[in-house]
């Protein structure tokens, strides 16, 4: 409920906020498509920024170098392509692997030492592009880099590769591996938790998401065995708070109600999905009407974070006080430090002045949660002494890593979201 508060002859009238109907092109969330590059190809496909897609999965097949070190020319070529994606404003889901044909066992190096050497060679390149790498998927091995059908998935290999990646990249890159059970295979129960996450390219494809989870009849079971989805979700929760969860949805064996699909995406806290696969399922979603739009659009707008202001309170005294209640109506989270900037202006024709920021960080507001954010600001520049004087208050969201402005899921002006007005 919006409030109306009067103090010292100055009242605050909250704005009537209307939820936006157009898609939000916010970074760090949403739909993506895959760009696959092979080292042996002379020319590479140029990336294209499609409307509503701020993510891209760049998949580099380095199988041509499986038994040799990467040359400077190879690393420079990957570097140049990553720069092209960044120039278009993409955040990158990055996967570098030895196979893109389902032949992981034969396309990966003969020696484990070579895989580790490749990780070490890639680390400086990854750190160079760290501000644009949304998440790094996999550990080079397995068919399509998805960590199955590989000779390097035994516990000692998984542990060494994971630790080598995080050490070599100095913790600057968010790493996702394919399944939670692979984490438990690599690390002992009770061991200090490694900072990584998971990706799921089998979502909805079966009751177990194509082996991502054990059947629902399974319990917690052995530490090194798959658990039911319910148990795995509990296990994954602290990991997903730090590293985004996403992947691909597949056509389920039996039709699922929209509400069932949405509940699954909420439970898994999904932040990103492939926009082209599974084509049959996604076409169904595009044809299905839901909540005044298509089901495809409805899902897309809720991937990751979606911030809505639900309550605004303002008080005028020696200082101006604001408290804003924000709901994250998305499935997932905003994984970058994000601040709420407050601006003021005399009227809609005046240029707004930055007053400061509210306390708190929207990175910590996870999907389905609501939080209150407050701040105290000086009123010296806006005395509001004369009758009829006013101060309009606006808010905008700003990502600290690059200063990029994010949008609320409500209709904004060209200068931010109007929260309300103090007036004499």
């Amino acid at each position: 409920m919006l409030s109306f508060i009067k103090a010292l002859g100055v009242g605050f009238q909250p704005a009537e906020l209307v939820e936006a109907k157009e898609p939000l092109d916010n970074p760090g969330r949403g739909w993506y498509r895959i760009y696959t590059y092979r080292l042996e190809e002379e020319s590479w496909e140029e990336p294209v920024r499609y409307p509503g897609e701020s993510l891209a999965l760049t998949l580099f097949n380095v199988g041509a170098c499986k038994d040799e070190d990467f040359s400077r020319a190879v690393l420079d070529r990957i570097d140049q392509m990553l720069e092209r994606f960044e120039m278009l404003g993409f955040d990158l889901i990055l996967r570098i692997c030895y196979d893109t044909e389902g032949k992981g066992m034969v396309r990966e190096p003969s020696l484990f030492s070579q895989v580790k050497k490749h990780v070490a060679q890639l680390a400086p390149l990854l750190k160079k592009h760290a501000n644009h790498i949304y998440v790094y998927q996999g550990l080079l091995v397995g068919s399509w880099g998805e960590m199955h059908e590989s000779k390097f998935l035994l516990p000692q290999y998984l542990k060494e590769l994971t630790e080598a990646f995080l050490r070599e990249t100095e913790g600057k890159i968010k790493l996702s591996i394919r399944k939670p059970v692979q984490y438990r295979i690599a690390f002992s129960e009770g061991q200090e938790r490694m900072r990584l996450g998971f990706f799921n390219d089998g979502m909805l494809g079966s009751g177990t998401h194509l082996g991502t989870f054990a059947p629902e009849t399974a319990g917690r079971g052995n530490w090194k065995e798959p658990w039911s989805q319910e148990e795995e979700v509990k296990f994954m929760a602290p990991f997903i708070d730090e590293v985004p969860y996403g992947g691909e949805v597949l056509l389920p064996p039996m039709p699922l109600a929209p509400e069932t699909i949405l509940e699954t995406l909420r439970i898994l806290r999904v932040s990103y999905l492939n926009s082209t696969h599974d084509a049959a399922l996604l076409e169904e979603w595009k044809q299905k009407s839901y909540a005044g739009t298509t089901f495809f659009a409805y899902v897309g707008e809720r991937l990751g974070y979606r911030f809505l202001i639900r309550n605004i309170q303002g008080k005028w005294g020696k200082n101006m006080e604001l408290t804003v209640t924000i709901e994250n109506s998305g499935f997932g989270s905003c994984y970058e430090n994000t601040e709420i900037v407050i601006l003021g202006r005399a009227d809609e024709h005046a240029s707004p002045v930055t007053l400061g920021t509210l306390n708190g960080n929207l990175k910590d507001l996870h999907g389905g949660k609501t939080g209150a954010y407050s701040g105290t600001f000086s009123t010296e520049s806006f005395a509001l002494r004369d009758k009829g004087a006013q101060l309009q208050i606006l808010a905008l969201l700003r990502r600290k890593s690059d200063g990029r402005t994010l949008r609320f899921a409500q209709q904004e002006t060209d200068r931010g979201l109007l929260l309300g007005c103090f007036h004499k």
Side-chain angles (χ1 to χ4, degrees), residues 270-290:
V270 174
S271 286
Y272 62 101
L273 286 176
N274 190 333
S275 67
T276 64
H277 188 75
D278 184 325
L281 177 60
L282 296 176
E283 186 58 31
E284 282 187 11
W285 290 7
K286 291 175 182 178
Q287 299 302 320
K288 186 186 295 293
S289 297
Y290 190 86

Side-chain angles (χ1 to χ4, degrees), residues 363-420:
K363 176 183 178 182
D364 303 318
L365 189 64
H366 305 308
K369 303 298 183 181
T370 299
Y373 302 85
S374 299
T376 302
F377 308 94
S378 171
T379 60
E380 290 182 4
S381 300
F382 301 96
L384 299 190
R385 295 187 180 92
D386 300 328
K387 186 175 181 180
Q390 65 173 4
L391 173 63
Q392 294 184 354
I393 301 298
L394 300 94
L396 59 82
L397 304 176
R398 186 167 61 201
R399 193 163 69 170
K400 287 188 176 182
S401 62
D402 56 6
R404 184 167 176 177
T405 299
L406 313 184
R407 290 187 60 195
F408 287 99
Q410 285 153 315
Q411 292 180 5
E412 299 187 359
T413 72
D414 58 349
R415 302 293 181 88
L417 181 65
L418 180 64
L419 300 183

Side-chain angles (χ1 to χ4, degrees), residues 93-396:
I93 305 163
L94 183 57
R95 192 188 300 181
I96 300 175
C97 60
Y98 302 110
D99 169 76
T100 51
E101 297 177 358
K103 300 177 181 178
M105 292 289 283
V106 299
R107 297 294 175 89
E108 58 193 17
S110 304
L111 300 175
F112 180 65
S113 58
Q114 186 65 68
V115 183
K116 288 183 66 178
K117 181 64 179 293
H118 284 160
V119 169
Q121 285 190 286
L122 289 169
L125 178 63
L126 301 183
K127 288 187 289 184
K128 175 183 177 182
H129 295 276
N131 286 341
H132 294 277
I133 296 177
Y134 178 61
V135 66
Y136 184 98
Q137 291 185 343
L139 289 165
L140 283 82
V141 301
S143 296
W144 297 284
E146 291 186 356
M147 301 180 67
H148 60 79
E149 299 176 347
S150 168
K151 53 184 172 288
F152 299 126
L153 293 177
L154 295 174
Q156 66 269 28
Y157 294 143
L158 275 175
K159 178 179 172 63
E160 282 191 57
L161 268 183
T162 303
E163 291 179 336
F165 183 96
L166 295 175
R167 180 180 64 254
E168 296 286 353
T169 59
E170 301 175 357
K172 295 179 179 179
I173 307 298
K174 297 182 177 70
L175 170 66
S176 285
I177 60 176
R178 176 64 183 85
K179 301 177 185 180
V181 68
Q182 290 172 325
Y183 177 91
R184 295 194 297 271
I185 288 172
F187 299 100
S188 302
E189 188 171 8
Q191 185 174 343
E192 183 179 356
R193 182 169 63 83
M194 304 296 287
R195 188 175 181 270
L196 49 76
F198 310 97
F199 66 98
N200 183 351
D201 282 351
M203 258 182 271
L204 309 179
S206 71
T208 65
H209 291 218
L210 299 189
T212 302
F213 313 117
E216 288 302 316
T217 54
R220 188 175 186 275
N222 186 287
W223 175 256
K224 297 184 183 296
E225 294 177 353
W227 302 344
S228 69
Q229 177 177 310
E230 181 180 359
E231 294 293 339
E232 294 287 33
V233 166
K234 294 177 184 176
F235 174 79
M236 292 191 299
F239 296 88
I240 297 175
D241 285 346
E242 297 184 356
V243 181
Y245 189 86
E248 296 179 350
V249 288
L250 303 180
L251 192 67
M254 298 290 290
L256 298 174
E259 290 72 21
T260 301
I261 296 171
L262 292 174
E263 183 61 18
T264 299
L265 299 178
R266 288 190 191 101
I267 289 171
L268 294 176
R269 294 149 76 172
V270 174
S271 286
Y272 62 101
L273 286 176
N274 190 333
S275 67
T276 64
H277 188 75
D278 184 325
L281 177 60
L282 296 176
E283 186 58 31
E284 282 187 11
W285 290 7
K286 291 175 182 178
Q287 299 302 320
K288 186 186 295 293
S289 297
Y290 190 86
T293 184
T294 67
F295 190 65
F296 180 87
Y298 188 88
V299 167
E301 284 304 300
R302 284 154 183 80
L303 293 173
Y305 59 92
R306 180 179 173 84
F307 296 126
L308 292 161
I309 290 182
R310 295 303 192 191
N311 185 278
I312 310 162
Q313 294 181 332
K315 185 177 181 180
W316 191 275
K318 291 184 65 176
N319 293 298
M320 180 183 72
E321 299 175 14
L322 281 178
T323 298
V324 179
T325 301
I326 300 177
E327 175 194 359
N328 181 358
S329 62
F331 303 138
S333 302
C334 178
Y335 290 93
E336 299 293 335
N337 291 320
T338 301
E339 58 189 359
I340 309 159
V341 182
I342 299 299
L343 307 98
R345 66 184 183 188
D347 55 54
E348 61 270 18
H349 304 295
S351 297
V353 176
T354 300
L355 303 178
T357 60
L358 298 179
N359 297 323
N361 187 345
L362 287 179
K363 176 183 178 182
D364 303 318
L365 189 64
H366 305 308
K369 303 298 183 181
T370 299
Y373 302 85
S374 299
T376 302
F377 308 94
S378 171
T379 60
E380 290 182 4
S381 300
F382 301 96
L384 299 190
R385 295 187 180 92
D386 300 328
K387 186 175 181 180
Q390 65 173 4
L391 173 63
Q392 294 184 354
I393 301 298
L394 300 94
L396 59 82

Side-chain angles (χ1 to χ4, degrees), residues 37-39 41-46 60 77-78 81:
Y37 303 107
R38 301 172 64 91
L39 294 184
E41 293 174 343
E42 291 187 7
S43 61
W44 283 356
E45 176 188 6
E46 288 292 330
F60 293 95
R77 196 175 186 202
I78 295 173
M81 184 53 69

